[in-house]
Amino acid sequence: MNTAQLNRMHSGKGFIAALDQSGGSTPKALSQYGVEESSYTNDEEMYTLVHEMRTRIIKSPAFDSEYILGAILFENTMDRKIDGDWTADYLWEKKNIVPFLKVDKGLADLANGVQLMKPISNLDELLTRAVERNVFGTKMRSVIKEANAEGIRQVVEQQFEVGLQIFAKGLVPIIEPEVDIYSTDKEKSEEILKEEIKKQLSLLGKDVKVMLKLSIPTVNDFYTDLISDPHVVRVVALSGGYAQQEANDKLAQNHGLIASFSRALSEGLFANQSDDEFNTKLGKTIKEIYQASIT
């Protein structure tokens, strides 16, 4: 584990940029960027185009470590290069931004009010490659749609079980049990979730470190005790479908919680923009998310 990266993630000011749309979400990400499906004929062409989009974001002067602590990558992005360097190396060596990798393979069908992660069949090989590519940590997502105690327990137990496997490889796992922002019992789900997370944290060995990526809570500062837990490097918030301004406003009401936004980060960026237009828009967005993260 890179100590400089660990210290930066634990105490640095800024937020995490989520650049990890993959699989079924890639066409939507490209479409929002102004690249329609008619622009590519197969997955390789599609992933080349999305890597060009991510490269443009990462190389932008607006994508600066003054505001951004880390960036979450999709596997295909990790295995590609920017100006001759592996993407993770470019992020850290050229930008001083800590690289993470999305490792989950998507969501299982809804059961007990939740969607667990699908099995990650190649996890050990993927983690080995991530270590070789100088990645610092990983991210994996589950979804909670109802305040079902049994389902939420299963989500958290699965997340921590896989998280321990990831930590054993020398990587810091981001545990992401997302609570659907449109859930009718979101606040109750968050109450159950926090208790299950605290239970799992209490079982960890003294030296084990994790990060948490959670939906912005219904009750402001609800996750303060998780933020201060000695096992937790950082607690970050997903935008969860909120528009950029609403996500920023809600985040700013939660002290110590920092952003890890995806859609809200890339909102308003288009392939046909000039570099000046692109960089100006990205810079404005980054500064607004940063401000909400340090409030």
Side-chain angles (χ1 to χ4, degrees):
M1 189 181 300
N2 186 312
T3 303
Q5 293 177 343
L6 179 63
N7 291 338
R8 179 159 170 73
M9 287 312 310
H10 179 63
S11 57
K13 286 188 175 182
F15 68 95
I16 297 177
L19 305 174
D20 59 329
Q21 300 97 336
S22 61
S25 63
T26 301
K28 183 178 180 181
L30 282 172
S31 177
Q32 290 171 340
Y33 183 55
V35 177
E36 300 303 329
E37 291 190 39
S38 58
S39 301
Y40 49 89
T41 58
N42 55 50
D43 284 353
E44 178 59 26
E45 291 179 3
M46 178 182 72
Y47 287 131
T48 295
L49 287 169
V50 82
H51 187 64
E52 289 173 359
M53 178 186 76
R54 289 166 178 157
T55 295
R56 191 180 188 191
I57 291 171
I58 291 169
K59 290 185 67 175
S60 169
F63 200 79
D64 192 296
S65 61
E66 180 180 353
Y67 309 105
I68 299 171
L69 294 173
I72 304 172
L73 308 174
F74 165 49
E75 180 181 353
N76 190 279
T77 306
M78 178 187 73
D79 289 333
R80 291 177 184 259
K81 294 184 176 183
I82 298 176
D83 292 352
D85 292 321
W86 295 113
T87 304
D89 287 335
Y90 185 93
L91 280 167
W92 180 242
E93 294 172 7
K94 300 294 195 299
K95 291 278 189 168
N96 196 37
I97 291 172
V98 179
F100 292 83
L101 174 68
K102 167 187 158 68
V103 295
D104 68 80
K105 301 300 183 184
L107 300 169
D109 292 338
L110 184 69
N112 290 330
V114 304
Q115 289 180 275
L116 297 170
M117 294 183 290
K118 290 180 179 177
I120 312 172
S121 57
N122 68 330
L123 180 60
D124 192 68
E125 181 275 329
L126 180 58
L127 296 176
T128 298
R129 202 160 77 251
V131 171
E132 292 170 350
R133 296 276 192 270
N134 296 317
V135 166
F136 170 75
T138 65
K139 190 214 81 159
M140 50 193 177
R141 172 176 174 259
S142 313
V143 173
I144 296 165
K145 291 185 174 292
E146 299 172 12
N148 182 303
E150 175 62 16
I152 294 173
R153 181 190 64 79
Q154 291 174 336
V155 161
V156 177
E157 286 185 354
Q158 182 192 43
Q159 284 274 348
F160 274 84
E161 179 182 358
V162 179
L164 283 171
Q165 184 178 345
I166 290 164
F167 185 79
K169 278 284 192 176
L171 300 163
V172 174
I174 299 178
I175 307 290
E176 185 185 4
E178 173 184 347
V179 177
D180 190 330
I181 63 169
Y182 302 110
S183 170
T184 57
D185 49 13
K186 178 174 178 283
E187 183 175 352
K188 181 61 177 176
S189 292
E190 289 163 349
E191 291 171 359
I192 299 169
L193 174 63
K194 185 167 78 166
E195 290 308 308
E196 290 295 334
I197 291 174
K198 289 168 70 174
K199 187 186 303 181
Q200 290 299 318
L201 289 173
S202 73
L203 299 174
L204 297 179
K206 182 178 65 174
D207 298 326
V208 177
K209 300 293 183 184
V210 301
M211 294 175 61
L212 301 172
K213 182 169 180 175
L214 306 172
S215 304
I216 301 171
T218 305
V219 176
N220 292 336
D221 290 331
F222 184 66
Y223 293 128
T224 299
D225 48 350
L226 298 182
I227 291 170
S228 62
D229 188 285
H231 292 291
V232 177
V233 177
R234 210 70 185 250
V235 181
V236 305
L238 54 102
S239 52
Y242 291 124
Q244 183 187 115
Q245 189 58 56
E246 186 176 9
N248 288 341
D249 291 344
K250 289 180 178 294
L251 179 65
Q253 302 303 312
N254 288 270
H255 303 88
L257 192 64
I258 68 171
S260 178
F261 292 171
S262 174
R263 190 185 62 79
L265 174 68
S266 59
E267 188 176 303
L269 299 179
F270 300 102
N272 63 1
Q273 288 171 324
S274 69
D275 286 344
D276 283 346
E277 291 170 332
F278 182 92
N279 294 333
T280 297
K281 174 56 182 172
L282 180 60
K284 182 176 183 294
T285 296
I286 285 172
K287 288 176 182 177
E288 288 173 350
I289 296 174
Y290 170 81
Q291 193 60 46
S293 294
I294 65 168
T295 301

